[in-house]
Amino acid sequence: MTRSPIGRVNPKGRKIIILVLISVFAVMFSVVMIANIPNFQGMFEAREVFKAYNQALIAKDYAMAYNLLAPETKANVSYDKFVGIEDKLGERIGALRSFSTSKMDTKGDEENLVTTIQANLTFEKGTLQFEYVFKKEHGIWFVYRFNEL
């Protein structure tokens, strides 16, 4: 039976090998974390817009909520149509009472960050799941799209 060369390493040598492996792992982990800093920051910033948007809907401040929509989204949905969508949802399931995130994901680089948030929205008559997509344009996060799951 042959023994592994590592099995013949003296205790001092084993410690050096372990320290080298730990150091390599620490460097690799640091590189991955540094590369993802924009994603973590973006996720936090998008979540703040998510909160502001839904708080505006709870307060029925539709103008505030509409202003958080991306310019390209507003180009496709007029303010009156937006209010109509919210009113129809209110007729169907009641007023929005609270909201919580169930899943968040941010992808892209600093110039093209996109965050997706899946959320539970609690209304007077029940809870619905929605998915929101946020985009950062010129340093500002906007609600790009939202739909009921």
Side-chain angles (χ1 to χ4, degrees):
M1 182 187 301
T2 57
R3 289 187 61 178
S4 156
I6 293 180
R8 287 185 241 146
V9 176
N10 66 34
K12 204 174 205 180
R14 282 188 196 166
K15 286 182 182 177
I16 291 172
I17 290 171
I18 290 171
L19 287 173
V20 167
L21 290 173
I22 289 172
S23 298
V24 167
F25 174 77
V27 168
M28 289 172 44
F29 181 77
S30 297
V31 168
V32 168
M33 293 306 292
I34 289 170
N36 283 306
I37 285 174
N39 290 4
F40 292 127
Q41 182 178 354
M43 193 178 298
F44 173 78
E45 292 169 351
R47 186 166 179 249
E48 292 302 306
V49 174
F50 166 79
K51 286 180 185 177
Y53 178 80
N54 282 292
Q55 287 169 344
L57 292 178
I58 288 171
K60 296 192 185 298
D61 187 349
Y62 296 133
M64 170 66 116
Y66 187 78
N67 283 332
L68 294 172
L69 296 179
E72 59 204 84
T73 304
K74 288 194 271 190
N76 293 317
V77 179
S78 70
Y79 176 74
D80 291 335
K81 186 174 180 180
F82 175 78
V83 171
I85 292 167
E86 293 302 323
D87 285 344
K88 282 181 186 174
L89 184 62
E91 289 170 11
R92 188 178 105 204
I93 197 155
L96 179 62
R97 295 291 182 217
S98 64
F99 55 91
S100 62
T101 58
S102 59
K103 184 178 176 184
M104 294 177 59
D105 184 39
T106 298
K107 293 182 180 174
D109 57 32
E110 274 187 76
E111 301 300 316
N112 299 302
L113 285 177
V114 175
T115 294
T116 303
I117 296 177
Q118 289 185 2
N120 297 314
L121 276 59
T122 302
F123 297 85
E124 290 174 321
K125 299 176 186 174
T127 299
L128 298 175
Q129 285 191 316
F130 277 78
E131 180 177 78
Y132 294 80
V133 176
F134 297 84
K135 283 189 175 182
K136 190 172 187 178
E137 296 180 10
H138 309 292
I140 300 170
W141 282 94
F142 292 101
V143 179
Y144 176 72
R145 182 179 77 230
F146 56 92
N147 59 292
E148 185 179 341
L149 296 176

